[in-house]
Amino acid sequence: METVVSPSFRTFWLHARADGYLADMQAAGQMADADDVGFAGSAVAVRTVADPGSVRAAVEIWSRRPLLTGDEAPFDYAVEGEIDLSTGQWCIDESQDSAVQAGMPLPSGAGEYGVRVTAYHEPGEQYRLQIWPSGRRR
């Protein structure tokens, strides 16, 4: 799914609206302030270059961890971590797409997921978020 996000203070979050998600978003955001990407509980925060402005984000759902291959477009960084999507959905509140804001279902259901964030800053700022089941199912 391709979407356009309008970062809030140069950050956007992919998260589940699980119990404690606001604290998870805050913790992930603090990590992203230091390292561009932060993972905490049910959230991953991505610090952007553009502020104000909009950036493109592609969210891909995989059945297993995707490989980074030699034919990838040149990227600035790729960071992996895990989040708990215990609601069986993911959302990005900063998206300009109302369906993405409301929450998108995960085909594998609730559980722990690996997430890779890949940043491309040329020719325009873009992010690729790949999600795959990594742990226990609920």
Side-chain angles (χ1 to χ4, degrees):
M1 157 154 303
E2 300 262 342
T3 189
V4 175
V5 297
S6 299
S8 176
F9 300 100
R10 291 183 51 195
T11 305
F12 70 92
W13 290 262
L14 183 144
H15 66 94
R17 286 197 181 90
D19 290 341
Y21 80 93
L22 292 175
D24 292 346
M25 289 175 66
Q26 181 179 15
Q30 289 172 343
M31 288 181 234
D33 283 345
D35 296 322
D36 294 325
V37 178
F39 298 89
S42 62
V44 56
V46 180
R47 184 171 169 83
T48 65
V49 175
D51 185 36
S54 298
V55 298
R56 300 192 68 70
V59 179
E60 302 173 358
I61 309 300
W62 291 73
S63 59
R64 60 188 173 116
R65 182 178 178 263
L67 299 175
L68 276 175
T69 60
D71 60 352
E72 293 279 331
F75 54 85
D76 292 279
Y77 63 78
V79 179
E80 291 185 15
E82 285 197 2
I83 61 175
D84 183 3
L85 297 174
S86 61
T87 62
Q89 293 187 327
W90 62 270
C91 64
I92 299 175
D93 296 337
E94 299 80 14
S95 174
Q96 294 178 10
D97 183 326
S98 60
V100 173
Q101 290 176 8
M104 303 295 293
L106 292 158
S108 296
E112 294 179 13
Y113 284 80
V115 179
R116 178 185 299 137
V117 178
T118 308
Y120 306 89
H121 293 144
E122 292 191 20
E125 188 171 3
Q126 301 177 61
Y127 297 88
R128 180 181 185 190
L129 292 92
Q130 297 169 302
I131 304 171
W132 64 92
S134 67
R136 70 183 188 287
R137 308 273 46 99
R138 295 178 193 234

